[in-house]
Amino acid sequence: MFVTNLEKDFYSAIQKHRCLLLVNFDIDAICACRILQQLFKNDHVIYTLVPVRGVQDMINAFEENCDEIKNVVTINCGGTLDLVDLLRPNESVVFFILDSHRPYDLCNIYSESQIRILGKSDEDNEIPEYNDIFRDDSSDEEDEDEDEDGENRQSKRRRLNEEDLIRQSERRKWLENRATILFNYTQYSYYGKSSATVVFEMAWNMSKDNLDMAWWAIIGSTEQSILNKVESRVAILEEGSLQAHVSRLTHRQSVDVDKQTQQQSVAKVTYDKDLQLALYRHWTVEASLKYSVSTAVSFRLWSIRGDQRLKEVLAEMGLPLVQSRQLFRAMDLMFRQEFRQMVEKVADKYNVSSIIGTSFIFQYGYRFKYCASDIVYAMLALLDSTMKDRQPQRCFLDALDCLSRTKKDTLESGIEKAKLMLLNIFKTAKNILETKQVKNFGSFLYLSVPDGNIDTYLFMHPHPLIMLAQFVLKAYVSSTRNRRASEWPLVASAVFNAEEGTCLLVGIPPVCEDQPRSLFGKAFEQAAKNKNCYIDADYFDTTIIRLKIEEKSKFLDALAALLA
């Protein structure tokens, strides 16, 4: 069931006993977790935090920590699963679900006792009626003796048979109707409101919010925009709402402290016109222009003329190559101050006006200055840097540390890793586009990350593979002559575990869809069923699966036939 009064029905309820926090491996979930941690610290709430990468991790984490646990909070995980059926908890355990994945599982929605979904139901997604989905089939047939009228046994049997046939016919119609309703409800996978924003708004309603919490909510919301999880209209409205909170908290902070203290040590969040270029304040201008998706696609930097076109743009901007190839903070002050105006001057001519927008910027002290997208890229890079000697839990904690003012070294390390990540995504995309490895399956496009490359390990993680797929799809649509290209979704695959012979597959909605709803979750499931392939759908995002490499060919054929 849905819980709308979060202070009374969620926060007050979990304060009485130790609670278990199960947090998904994504930036929005980490930001929501960080806000909750701050609230728990202030109110002395005891909790256990366990990061979970998939369904099996969640099962293991619950089994290991379920003793004496009365409340479980799941962040960006569990909302699309029947948790009671999956985890088999004691009747005393209550699950509080904070999940941006949609659609919610109907058993969670209609649970009256053990499941509480935090927030309101989505207005644009109609939830089926209870009686259309759930039905009590227990028959209350009574043992009837022969009537006083003398109804004989044969006519009684005939009457019962007729009633049974009517019941079977009604049940068959109900099941057909149920299947249709369920298909319509679950056919698309998509994302709802940022979980970090939901928790921040709860803190605001309890008058326990501060500027740090607002900043973490901004980062969670920014991740949804960068990875195209929500439509642009929703992102803009969310941005406006968060900006109002920032203004309010900044005013409150300026009243609380004197001017001198404020200038030296108090955090400051500003919302201003800015360039949507990846990490440009921490990189060179040339690299940022080259490895940001919007400029790379507009300038077609994967093509032979790409580098030449980039030099032409820099020349027309009036920025010398020497300046563009050193770190932004080392450029001459005049060029740094006028850089945005330089880009605006050539934006329309080179069709890159989309990079001129607004951003939230966090500043602490004189040198600690970061844009929200900088933090998102750094956290993504840290989160997906698992190696044999670097466990996933360590990566999760490093990404969490990026949100702390005192862990600047971790954040700087994340930014350096993010530069390598964006560089490798561009190089791989360039290789795929130059060698024309994007295949057309009729109803969707397909790309496979070339094996044997030194950077291939990066794409065994979902986030970099999704970013690569989105880059390649936009580049393909902008460069192909086929007018229907913008209507095609894309499937991308990469080796997941070479020893076990498994690969990772992700599905991306078409470029023309501003509302990024993906049909691949259900399509993957049905295609695997049609060809009797085993897919490991362990991720909480149903558009991400693992598959045996040897079965990939027949699986893709089944998918093409299904979507045709």
Side-chain angles (χ1 to χ4, degrees), residues 85-335:
D85 183 60
L86 181 72
L87 301 177
R88 306 284 180 184
N90 292 330
E91 290 183 4
S92 59
V93 177
V94 177
F95 290 88
F96 294 93
I97 297 175
L98 178 63
D99 197 350
S100 61
H101 295 98
R102 301 289 189 275
Y104 290 122
D105 185 88
L106 290 169
C107 292
N108 292 338
I109 291 174
Y110 285 111
S111 170
E112 290 295 328
S113 55
Q114 288 193 273
I115 305 292
R116 317 277 168 85
I117 300 173
L118 306 185
K120 301 174 184 175
S121 61
D122 297 322
E123 294 176 2
D124 59 342
N125 190 37
E126 277 191 33
I127 295 169
E129 293 295 328
Y130 179 88
N131 291 330
D132 290 336
I133 303 300
F134 302 100
R135 175 170 170 162
D136 185 8
D137 281 329
S138 60
S139 57
D140 298 321
E141 294 178 8
E142 299 175 3
D143 294 329
E144 299 177 19
D145 295 326
E146 286 195 5
D147 294 336
E148 292 179 2
D149 295 350
E151 181 185 20
N152 62 38
R153 200 170 292 173
Q154 187 175 0
S155 63
K156 180 182 175 183
R157 192 179 295 118
R158 191 185 304 116
R159 177 173 60 80
L160 291 173
N161 286 341
E162 287 173 358
E163 288 175 359
D164 194 41
L165 286 170
I166 291 168
R167 274 198 300 270
Q168 286 180 12
S169 175
E170 287 175 352
R171 176 170 172 75
R172 190 162 50 249
K173 287 177 184 175
W174 181 83
L175 286 172
E176 288 171 0
N177 184 53
R178 180 181 188 270
T180 304
I181 291 170
L182 278 176
F183 176 79
N184 291 335
Y185 177 70
T186 60
Q187 65 176 321
Y188 291 110
S189 305
Y190 63 103
Y191 283 83
K193 188 170 184 171
S194 154
S195 295
T197 306
V198 173
V199 181
F200 170 72
E201 287 176 352
M202 179 188 76
W204 167 51
N205 288 325
M206 296 191 299
S207 300
K208 294 182 179 181
D209 59 329
N210 57 39
L211 204 55
D212 282 326
M213 291 181 186
W215 176 240
W216 299 330
I218 287 164
I219 294 167
S221 182
T222 302
E223 182 238 18
Q224 288 197 323
S225 297
I226 287 175
L227 295 180
N228 296 325
K229 290 182 176 181
V230 293
E231 60 183 304
S232 54
R233 178 184 61 85
V234 173
I236 290 166
L237 288 172
E238 204 63 66
E239 204 173 77
S241 173
L242 288 166
Q243 194 237 337
H245 284 296
V246 167
S247 299
R248 174 180 57 81
L249 290 164
T250 302
H251 176 71
R252 189 174 80 184
Q253 182 174 268
S254 65
V255 171
D256 292 344
V257 295
D258 62 70
K259 293 281 183 185
Q260 187 179 356
T261 311
Q262 183 184 348
Q263 287 172 356
Q264 290 177 354
S265 61
V266 175
K268 185 171 68 172
V269 177
T270 54
Y271 178 73
D272 205 355
K273 203 170 184 181
D274 196 18
L275 297 174
Q276 312 300 301
L277 290 173
L279 304 169
Y280 79 89
R281 289 183 179 85
H282 313 278
W283 216 348
T284 67
V285 166
E286 186 181 47
S288 184
L289 284 167
K290 190 171 184 178
Y291 304 131
S292 296
V293 174
S294 53
T295 45
V297 169
S298 295
F299 301 154
R300 300 191 182 182
L301 295 178
W302 63 88
S303 64
I304 296 170
R305 280 211 63 235
D307 281 336
Q308 187 61 38
R309 193 178 287 115
L310 180 59
K311 287 173 185 173
E312 288 172 12
V313 172
L314 289 169
E316 193 160 333
M317 283 166 56
L319 187 66
L321 275 179
V322 175
Q323 293 287 331
S324 70
R325 288 176 176 172
Q326 57 185 315
L327 287 175
F328 184 80
R329 61 174 173 264
M331 284 166 53
D332 288 353
L333 181 61
M334 180 188 72
F335 291 118

Side-chain angles (χ1 to χ4, degrees), residues 53 71 84 91 181 196 207 298 321 327 381 386 456 467 479 497:
R53 285 196 296 178
N71 300 308
V84 174
E91 290 183 4
I181 291 170
S207 300
S298 295
L321 275 179
L327 287 175
T386 53
T456 306
M467 291 166 77
S479 57
N497 189 320

